[in-house]
Amino acid sequence: MASIAAAQARKVLRDLVLRPPLLAARSQVIELTPRRWLNLQEYQSKKLMSDHGVRVQRFFVADTAKEALEAAKKLNAKEFVLKAQILAGGRGKGVFSSGLKGGVHLTKDPQVVGQLAKQMIGYNLATKQTPKEGVKVNKAADQIKKLYNLFLKIDATQVEVNPFGETPEGQVVCFDAKINFDDNAEFRQKDIFAMDDKSENEPIENEAAKYDLKYIGLDGNIACFVNGAGLAMATCDIIFLNGGKPANFLDLGGGVKEAQVYQAFKLLTADPKVEAILVNIFGGIVNCAIIANGITKACRELELKVPLVVRLEGTNVHEAQNILNNSGLPITSAVDLEDAAKKSVASVAKK
């Protein structure tokens, strides 16, 4: 298949991204965020598929009628499909400003490929999805390729360009940009992460980041000490459901160490709003015994003065429970998450 490269005509799609923040007892707040999707040319999509092992037809991209003819000869196929590349549907029934009807043609003659290309490249193709004047067929592809290569090279999770426009001189330019990165790639993107501007963060968030802790301050009085973002959200929600209010969202992550447990307690107890601490740990990767040792050390060295409710489950949980039970510290154990939430809320209510 010989493909003719097209000018970029972007189609903006919107969807609703539901980001459930913390849920109140009987209400739910949903934030609706518009998302823009990158719309690639057909040949670009096929290239991505081919690069990832998906079988596609052989194809070339041509910028001129001469290149189209040469591509047809190189393909040496029994039949050729010539497609105008624009970001709009209905190409087959479209009409060119040259008078040629149809943006998709089949032929068995390489010479015809060249003749058809002459009536396509440089002319506008109008379809039911384009403006009345149509979209000019030539080449907006180089910049898209570079954006995609950038996305991969820098370990991005999002590369957003808005607007992405063409100057009167025909240059395609990114007039604005927003890029998000995969935090897990920090070890190989050190120069990029060194540019992180933390001036807008809360001081406690910056302090937490030093120890690989994810901390978000809230307006409640029950501190949450949890491993895993999903479990942290569930913990905050169940505190709400039992009549309490979380003071923070603190995620220890999967590879937590005893020193991190100590630093987490130090951060939590430094918050004057905190009147109780709920520890909710599921030990899949995390060793519950490490958590227990960190808890007892923190309680002793920091002279913890607020109620502490601990729910542990998973790897080495029995050893962890023995450590807590034999510590001689005023630690309240919980059998499950609901039990932990009720005891945490009750401990605050007693004050």
Side-chain angles (χ1 to χ4, degrees):
M1 178 185 76
S3 296
I4 304 302
Q8 173 166 352
R10 296 189 309 148
K11 180 181 179 183
V12 179
L13 301 179
R14 290 181 180 271
D15 72 349
L16 298 180
V17 181
L18 302 186
R19 291 185 191 162
L22 305 175
L23 304 184
R26 294 185 178 274
S27 64
Q28 180 177 6
V29 180
I30 298 178
E31 178 185 344
L32 302 181
T33 306
R35 178 186 295 173
R36 297 185 182 274
W37 297 97
L38 176 62
N39 196 7
L40 296 182
Q41 300 282 1
E42 176 188 358
Y43 76 91
Q44 294 170 315
S45 299
K46 287 184 175 178
K47 178 64 167 57
L48 290 177
M49 291 179 182
S50 179
D51 290 345
H52 289 80
V54 179
R55 185 175 298 166
V56 298
Q57 301 131 303
R58 292 180 298 135
F59 67 93
F60 283 95
V61 179
D63 299 326
T64 66
K66 183 180 178 181
E67 288 182 6
L69 176 58
E70 291 174 352
K73 291 178 179 179
K74 288 180 182 178
L75 285 170
N76 192 28
K78 292 182 179 180
E79 190 171 27
F80 306 96
V81 181
L82 191 66
K83 289 187 174 183
Q85 296 290 285
I86 63 172
L87 295 177
R91 287 175 294 173
K93 296 182 179 180
V95 179
F96 285 90
S97 55
S98 65
L100 178 67
K101 294 183 178 180
V104 180
H105 289 265
L106 279 72
T107 180
K108 296 181 179 180
D109 187 348
Q111 296 298 326
V112 174
V113 170
Q115 294 168 10
L116 290 168
K118 284 182 181 179
Q119 301 177 73
M120 291 184 173
I121 297 176
Y123 293 97
N124 284 15
L125 174 60
T127 77
K128 60 184 180 181
Q129 292 187 12
T130 67
K132 290 183 179 180
E133 65 274 16
V135 175
K136 193 173 183 179
V137 177
N138 49 33
K139 189 173 181 183
D142 180 60
Q143 293 299 305
I144 296 294
K145 288 179 181 177
K146 288 180 178 178
L147 281 172
Y148 179 68
N149 290 334
L150 170 72
F151 178 83
L152 296 179
K153 188 174 181 179
I154 64 176
D155 289 295
T157 57
Q158 171 184 289
V159 175
E160 179 182 338
V161 177
N162 182 23
F164 186 61
E166 184 177 2
T167 68
E169 294 75 29
Q171 290 184 316
V172 176
V173 181
C174 301
F175 290 102
D176 195 3
K178 177 178 176 59
I179 304 179
N180 296 128
F181 301 90
D182 185 349
D183 289 347
N184 295 310
E186 183 175 359
F187 71 97
R188 62 173 171 243
Q189 302 292 348
K190 293 182 180 178
D191 290 342
I192 291 176
F193 279 82
M195 296 187 288
D196 185 16
D197 181 6
K198 299 179 180 178
S199 62
E200 296 183 14
N201 294 348
E202 292 292 332
I204 193 170
E205 292 179 21
N206 292 332
E207 187 66 19
K210 293 179 183 178
Y211 305 99
D212 292 327
L213 302 171
K214 301 293 188 296
Y215 181 95
I216 299 175
L218 303 173
D219 59 0
N221 56 3
I222 300 177
C224 300
F225 180 101
V226 189
N227 67 313
L231 190 59
M233 291 181 69
T235 303
C236 291
D237 286 348
I238 202 165
I239 289 174
F240 265 125
L241 290 172
N242 282 277
K245 295 185 69 176
N248 67 277
F249 173 104
L250 186 136
D251 176 13
L252 293 173
V256 63
K257 298 178 181 178
E258 189 174 317
Q260 287 175 293
V261 177
Y262 176 84
Q263 293 299 332
F265 263 88
K266 192 173 180 181
L267 288 170
L268 296 177
T269 54
D271 185 347
K273 300 193 307 293
V274 171
E275 297 180 14
I277 298 176
L278 191 165
V279 176
N280 182 28
I281 300 294
F282 180 80
I285 299 174
V286 175
N287 187 328
C288 290
I290 292 177
I291 299 293
N293 282 322
I295 290 173
T296 55
K297 178 182 179 181
C299 288
R300 291 190 178 100
E301 295 186 14
L302 298 174
E303 298 180 352
L304 190 66
K305 294 180 173 59
V306 297
L308 173 61
V309 179
V310 179
R311 179 255 181 169
L312 300 175
E313 192 60 71
T315 304
N316 279 346
V317 65
H318 297 301
E319 180 183 350
Q321 288 172 339
N322 287 334
I323 292 172
L324 296 178
N325 293 337
N326 297 326
S327 67
L329 296 168
I331 298 173
T332 302
S333 295
V335 295
D336 56 32
L337 179 52
E338 185 173 7
D339 183 43
K342 288 180 177 179
K343 288 179 176 177
S344 299
V345 174
S347 69
V348 173
K350 291 178 181 178
K351 291 189 174 184

